[in-house]
Amino acid sequence: MSLLGQLNQDMKDAMRAKDKARLSVIRMVKAAIQNESIKKGDELDSEEELTVLSREFKQRKESLGEFESAGREDLVAGLNVELKVIEEYLPTQLTEEEILAIVEEVIAETGATSKADFGKVMKVILPKVKGKADGSVISKLLQQKLS
């Protein structure tokens, strides 16, 4: 079942369960995917749906950090709920050790030796971990290895 199909089914389940918070998040994610589909002018494939889902997750994660630093606990609680719901639709996230293994493998594969090769290595890593790892974690680990 496609992500959009899964969202439709979960939206119906949330309506039946009268879970307003979950229903709201599912509707937001579904709308984001549909908007992207309209922008593209065609149906999204599963990889494009995953990209939209990852973007929504990342936006909320960034907002969470800002709200926490501003002391807005009322908004933090709501965002945590949204993050949990969105996370259910993302692929299982890689651990830092798994990401490090991929980074080391790609460095050896590309023959990267310095920070000047950073972009070349990232270009190879990102498609391998799409939706499964945060880009900032990958970047941090890669910088450590290339320094």
Side-chain angles (χ1 to χ4, degrees):
M1 182 184 299
S2 73
L3 178 60
L4 208 49
Q6 182 66 42
L7 287 169
N8 283 328
Q9 183 59 45
D10 291 348
M11 189 169 73
K12 291 174 191 173
D13 293 342
M15 280 187 223
R16 286 186 198 112
K18 296 186 179 6
D19 187 348
K20 291 182 181 181
R22 183 174 176 77
L23 179 61
S24 173
V25 175
I26 292 171
R27 281 182 173 157
M28 282 189 286
V29 170
K30 187 176 172 217
I33 291 172
Q34 288 174 330
N35 287 340
E36 195 69 27
S37 179
I38 291 168
K39 200 182 296 181
K40 181 183 176 193
D42 195 16
E43 289 289 313
L44 300 181
D45 61 24
S46 60
E47 193 169 306
E48 292 168 325
E49 289 177 339
L50 182 60
T51 301
V52 173
L53 196 60
S54 296
R55 182 177 58 223
E56 292 295 312
F57 185 79
K58 184 178 178 183
Q59 286 174 348
R60 283 165 179 75
K61 196 84 162 160
E62 289 171 356
S63 296
L64 181 68
E66 291 173 17
F67 292 151
E68 284 175 339
S69 65
R72 295 292 311 265
E73 294 306 315
D74 55 327
L75 298 174
V76 168
L79 272 179
N80 279 326
V81 170
E82 289 182 21
L83 285 169
K84 284 180 185 167
V85 173
I86 294 172
E87 204 166 28
E88 293 174 18
Y89 298 100
L90 287 171
T92 305
Q93 298 296 296
L94 297 172
T95 65
E96 202 164 306
E97 292 79 28
E98 292 170 322
I99 296 169
L100 187 58
I102 293 170
V103 167
E104 289 170 345
E105 174 190 321
V106 172
I107 287 174
E109 194 178 291
T110 59
T113 56
S114 68
K115 286 190 179 197
D117 298 323
F118 183 86
K120 179 171 70 172
V121 176
M122 281 296 276
K123 205 181 296 182
V124 176
I125 292 175
L126 289 177
K128 289 185 177 192
V129 298
K130 187 170 190 95
K132 298 179 192 170
D134 185 17
S136 61
V137 174
I138 298 167
S139 177
K140 181 185 77 167
L141 293 172
L142 182 56
Q143 285 179 358
Q144 289 173 356
K145 286 292 178 183
L146 291 179
S147 59

